[in-house]
Amino acid sequence: MEGNIPNEFVDEVRTRFDVVELISEYVQLKRSGRNYFGLCPFHGEKTPSFSVSQDKQIFHCFGCGEGGNVFSFLMKMEGIPFPEAVKELARRAGMQLPSTVSSVAAQRAEQKKSRLREAMAWADKYYRYWLQHQDGAKALHYLEKRGLTREIIESFGLGFAPNRWEAVKQFLRKKDFTERELLDAGLLSDNPKKTYDRFRNRITFPICSPRGETIAFGGRILDDGEPKYLNSPETPLFDKGKNLYAIHLAREAIRREKQAIIFEGYMDVIAAHQAGVTNAVASLGTSLTEAQARLLRSQAEEVVIVYDADAAGQAATWRGLQILKSAGCLVKVGRLPAGMDPDDYIRRHGGDAFRKDIIGEALLLVDYQMASLAQQYSLDKDEDRIRLFNKISEILASVDNAMEREDYVTKAAAMLKLPATAVREELNKKKQSASRPHSQTRKSSTIKPSLQRETAAQKAPMQIIALWGRFPSLIEESAGQLEEEDFPAELIPAFLEAQKEKASFSAARLLDSLQEEKHRQTLSRLLIHEEYDEKIAKKAIDDCIRLLKCVRIARQRKELEAQMASLDPVAAKGEINELSKKWLELRKLEETINHPREGGKGVG
Ligand SMILES: [Zn+2]
C-alpha cells in the first residue's frame, strides 16, 4: 500500500504530526476525558460522535464508522490516495522526499505544482509592490477612500496589477518561468497569437489555501471596465468550490467563537476584519458549494449568512441555506437594512453594531424562511393566504424537533390568522404523506451500513491486534501462543510486526498496513474504546487466543478426517489407527481448552 515510499520515511512523517493538531485544522475539537470530540467531517451530524485520541494518535467516528490515523484522515478529507497523503504531510513539515519515491508522472505533477506555487508567490509580491508604487497610486487611493488601513491592506495582501499587457509576464519570465507555467497558474491568458497578463488595471486580492499559501487571485477593475470582478480560473492549485476567501485569516476566530460569518464579497470580509469581526469569510463568486459548507461546518457550530439585501442576494441566501442545512450546520441569516451591503453597513455603523444588531439578531433558518415568504404574499387575498399556508407547512414539516415545530405552528398560525389546530392538521398530513419514506431513504444512504455481523472466531484476530495496539506490553506473553495461520492474510503483516516490535508496537503505524477501509474502521473503533483497562484487555486476549486455538484444532481435525477418508481401510489400517489417535488427542486438547472457559467478555 505504501507504494515505494520507504517505511522509515512514512514513520518519520507520522511522528512529526500530532493527530489532534492536524484534525483541529479541519474540525473543532473539544476535550472530554482522555479523548477529543467534534462534529464528524465525513457525515452530517448535530451531536459529536467523532473522537480523536492523542495517546493513540488515531481518530474514529461512532456515527459513520470512519477511522484511522493522520494519513487516513488526510486521505479522506482531501480525497487523495495514501502516497499523496504522506507526501502532502511531508511537504507541510518541510521534509525532503526520498528520491526513490513515487512514479515519474506523480513526481512531475508534484514538481509542477510546486513551480506554480512559486510563481504565485512571486506574482503576489509583484502585485503588492505595485500597489505601493507609482502605477498603483490610484488603486491605493481608492482603497484608502473606502476606509481600509495600511495594516489591513498588508494582512490581506492586497496588490495592484499594472495596466499593461505584459507586466507580470515579463517579470516572471525573467524569473525563469515558462509561458506554459504562467498560463497553468492562471496568471496569463492567451489568444491564438500570444499570451498576455490576465489581470490588468485591477486591484488584486490573493485567495489563499487554509494554510495561507496564495493559490489564486481575485481582481477588481479600477475604472468602469468589465467585468467588475475577475477571478483566476481553476488551476492545479485552485479549486474554487473547495476554498473560502480569507479562511486562513478567519480560521482561528471561527474556532474560538464557534461561529462563522459568510459574506458574498471580498470587500465585505475585509471591512469586517478591520472592524474586529474576524470570523468572516466569503464564498468565491458563485453560490456556496457542499464542500465549502462542510469546511465551515467542520470548524464552526453555527454559520450566519449575511448577503446583500437586494433580490439577487436574497436568492443566493436561500440557496446557500439549503446547502448549509443539508451539511448539518446550524444556520442563521443576518438581515441588513434595505439597499445596504455588509461593507456599507460596517463602515457606517462599526463592528460592534454589526455584531449586536445584525449577527445578534440573526434569524434561525425557519424564522427567516417564514418571514421572507410572508413578504412575497399578500395576507389580504385568500388565494395568497392558501399558497402561503402550503409553503409554510412544507417548511415546518422539515423541522425534526417536535417542541420546536410546535413553537413554529403557533407563530405560523398567528401570521396566517388561522387557528393553530388547522396548521397542525395540515402539517400532520404533509408529514405522513410525502416526506416520511423519502427522508428515511435519504438518511440511510448517507450513513454507511454497519459492518456485517461476524462470528466471534472471525472477529478474534482483529481484536487481538487492536488490544495489542492499545496495550503493547501484553504482546510478549501472548504472541508466542499464536501462529501465522491463525490470522487472515491481510492481518499477517500486523501480526508479524507485533511479534517483532513487542512493547514498541504502534497502533497508529499499524493502521497504515491495513489495505481495506473496513479493517481500518474496525481497528480504530476498537482502539478508541475507553472502557478497557489492561486487566480486562489481558482477559479478552486470552479468550480470543483460546477461540483461535479451537479453530486451529478443528481445522487440523478436519485435515486428519480427510486424510483418513482417502486411505484404503484394509491396506492402510495401521496408518489409520495412528491418525485416529492423533484425532482423539486433538479432541481432548479441545476439551481442556474449552473447559476452563468462563464467559470472558470480548471487545467490540
Ligand atoms: Zn462520521
Side-chain angles (χ1 to χ4, degrees):
M1 176 165 202
E2 307 191 355
N4 37 16
I5 302 180
N7 284 338
E8 301 74 44
F9 186 75
V10 173
D11 289 344
E12 170 74 23
V13 176
R14 192 189 317 97
T15 51
R16 293 264 193 116
F17 281 85
D18 175 54
V19 71
V20 173
E21 244 170 69
L22 177 76
I23 293 180
S24 292
E25 286 191 24
Y26 301 85
V27 180
Q28 188 200 335
L29 294 174
K30 258 188 224 145
R31 191 173 193 133
S32 163
R34 292 166 65 85
N35 289 340
Y36 290 79
F37 284 86
L39 290 172
C40 178
F42 306 121
H43 83 278
E45 64 174 4
K46 285 172 188 158
T47 41
S49 53
F50 180 82
S51 46
V52 184
S53 159
Q54 198 155 34
D55 311 345
K56 293 160 216 142
Q57 288 296 308
I58 58 164
F59 71 94
H60 181 79
C61 172
F62 290 97
C64 66
E66 209 51 68
N69 60 12
V70 281
F71 298 131
S72 345
F73 181 81
L74 204 67
M75 284 161 69
K76 203 78 199 169
M77 204 66 208
E78 307 279 352
I80 50 178
F82 179 80
E84 293 310 308
V86 176
K87 281 184 249 169
E88 171 60 21
L89 288 185
R91 195 179 70 76
R92 291 190 193 181
M95 294 166 70
Q96 192 78 44
L97 288 175
S99 56
T100 53
V101 163
S102 79
S103 70
V104 177
Q107 231 166 328
R108 283 222 187 98
E110 186 41 49
Q111 270 165 7
K112 181 175 168 184
K113 271 179 149 184
S114 98
R115 287 284 293 169
L116 299 189
R117 272 190 284 266
E118 246 178 82
M120 294 306 278
W122 278 115
D124 194 25
K125 276 190 197 146
Y126 182 77
Y127 293 144
R128 285 186 198 215
Y129 170 86
W130 279 113
L131 185 67
Q132 308 297 341
H133 291 81
Q134 55 276 45
D135 286 37
K138 211 171 147 194
L140 186 61
H141 179 69
Y142 168 84
L143 292 172
E144 285 175 341
K145 207 177 72 201
R146 292 198 64 165
L148 299 193
T149 61
R150 293 265 165 166
E151 293 76 46
I152 206 83
I153 289 171
E154 177 65 24
S155 69
F156 275 82
L158 304 189
F160 177 68
N163 195 11
R164 280 177 268 146
W165 291 93
E166 299 202 336
V168 84
K169 177 178 163 183
Q170 294 302 345
F171 174 74
L172 288 171
R173 291 286 290 123
K174 278 188 202 126
K175 300 260 172 229
D176 279 339
F177 289 98
T178 65
E179 284 181 51
R180 182 72 258 162
E181 285 173 326
L182 301 179
L183 278 166
D184 290 343
L187 290 167
L188 300 187
S189 299
D190 63 347
N191 60 29
K193 284 187 200 144
K194 58 169 189 166
T195 61
Y196 52 90
D197 286 10
R198 180 181 179 85
F199 298 103
R200 299 178 311 278
N201 197 30
R202 285 175 186 273
I203 293 171
T204 55
F205 300 78
I207 297 167
C208 298
S209 71
R211 308 184 48 248
E213 294 166 321
T214 299
I215 52 175
F217 289 98
R220 188 198 188 283
I221 195 84
L222 201 52
D223 306 318
D224 293 328
E226 287 287 328
K228 193 169 160 196
Y229 278 96
L230 178 71
N231 276 354
S232 294
E234 304 241 320
T235 71
L237 299 180
F238 178 50
D239 179 345
K240 72 177 171 197
K242 282 190 180 165
N243 285 282
L244 289 161
Y245 180 65
I247 187 72
H248 64 301
L249 296 172
R251 210 163 52 172
E252 255 189 63
I254 288 176
R255 252 186 254 144
R256 195 175 53 237
E257 292 170 38
K258 302 183 176 64
Q259 178 197 62
I261 298 170
I262 181 150
F263 293 123
E264 264 175 314
Y266 304 150
M267 287 304 285
D268 300 330
V269 175
I270 298 174
H273 279 245
Q274 180 168 308
V277 181
T278 52
N279 55 332
V281 295
S283 52
L284 292 161
T286 46
S287 75
L288 271 180
T289 65
E290 276 174 50
Q292 289 169 331
R294 275 202 305 272
L295 183 59
L296 283 172
R297 214 272 330 265
S298 65
Q299 318 255 329
E301 285 170 10
E302 181 181 298
V303 179
V304 187
I305 286 195
V306 188
Y307 283 1
D308 296 0
D310 61 13
Q314 295 311 304
T317 304
W318 197 270
R319 280 195 307 275
L321 289 171
Q322 307 303 331
I323 289 165
L324 286 167
K325 192 186 167 220
S326 55
C329 297
L330 173 64
V331 199
K332 287 183 176 175
V333 183
R335 294 184 306 166
L336 295 163
M340 272 202 164
D341 63 31
D343 177 31
D344 294 333
Y345 186 93
I346 292 168
R347 270 191 294 155
R348 196 168 308 171
H349 303 286
D352 289 341
F354 178 78
R355 224 193 286 270
K356 179 167 159 285
D357 297 334
I358 306 299
I359 301 302
E361 298 294 316
L363 292 180
L364 280 164
L365 176 60
V366 176
D367 286 310
Y368 170 78
Q369 288 174 321
M370 278 174 36
S372 59
L373 279 174
Q375 279 176 357
Q376 294 168 32
Y377 296 94
S378 154
L379 285 165
D380 301 331
K381 288 192 225 151
D382 280 347
E383 242 181 62
D384 264 21
R385 262 174 76 203
I386 293 169
R387 278 201 211 113
L388 180 58
F389 180 42
N390 274 324
K391 291 251 176 196
I392 286 183
S393 349
E394 260 168 47
I395 293 171
L396 297 194
S398 73
V399 178
D400 292 331
N401 183 303
M403 262 167 65
E404 218 178 292
R405 197 167 53 235
E406 187 51 35
D407 193 32
Y408 285 121
V409 165
T410 317
K411 278 187 201 167
M415 189 166 118
L416 293 159
K417 301 188 188 107
L418 283 171
T421 44
V423 179
R424 210 171 289 126
E425 245 170 59
E426 181 63 25
L427 192 56
N428 286 338
K429 259 190 258 163
K430 280 238 156 52
K431 277 192 89 69
Q432 273 159 17
S433 60
S435 78
R436 187 51 55 89
H438 182 61
S439 73
Q440 251 171 14
T441 49
R442 206 171 36 202
K443 235 172 220 159
S444 60
S445 67
T446 52
I447 295 182
K448 289 178 192 157
S450 61
L451 300 173
Q452 279 181 349
R453 283 258 153 257
E454 292 174 292
T455 66
Q458 281 169 325
K459 279 197 265 183
M462 179 57 96
Q463 290 193 357
I464 291 175
I465 299 282
L467 288 163
W468 282 348
R470 289 199 52 187
F471 303 101
S473 57
L474 296 175
I475 295 175
E476 180 87 60
E477 56 177 275
S478 50
Q481 304 178 56
L482 292 162
E483 289 166 23
E484 255 181 66
E485 60 167 321
D486 296 327
F487 291 83
E490 65 274 14
L491 290 182
I492 290 178
F495 168 62
L496 294 177
E497 193 176 314
Q499 246 185 350
K500 193 177 110 219
E501 300 283 327
K502 302 242 164 56
S504 52
F505 184 59
S506 145
R509 172 169 181 181
L510 179 61
L511 285 161
D512 292 332
S513 70
L514 296 177
Q515 305 254 358
E516 274 191 57
E517 195 176 33
K518 182 183 86 176
H519 291 125
R520 278 207 307 273
Q521 295 181 352
T522 311
L523 184 60
S524 61
R525 176 169 54 80
L526 294 173
L527 284 170
I528 216 152
H529 252 293
E530 277 307 315
E531 59 265 40
Y532 294 92
D533 61 16
E534 187 160 335
K535 223 173 109 194
I536 299 175
K538 186 177 174 331
K539 198 162 173 328
I541 289 179
D542 288 345
D543 284 344
C544 288
I545 290 178
R546 199 174 300 131
L547 210 53
L548 288 178
K549 278 184 180 164
C550 288
V551 171
R552 197 194 305 158
I553 290 168
R555 193 168 52 234
Q556 289 167 344
R557 270 189 12 229
K558 278 230 177 69
E559 279 164 18
L560 289 175
E561 284 162 17
Q563 244 178 306
M564 287 190 276
S566 71
L567 293 171
D568 184 322
V570 183
K573 200 170 172 218
E575 213 175 321
I576 290 178
N577 263 340
E578 280 303 303
L579 292 174
S580 301
K581 266 188 209 156
K582 275 191 196 163
W583 190 93
L584 272 173
E585 275 164 26
L586 286 175
R587 189 78 196 85
K588 270 186 213 150
L589 188 59
E590 199 173 17
E591 285 285 304
T592 56
I593 291 171
N594 271 328
H595 202 64
R597 189 169 183 191
E598 33 168 54
K601 189 168 166 245
V603 185

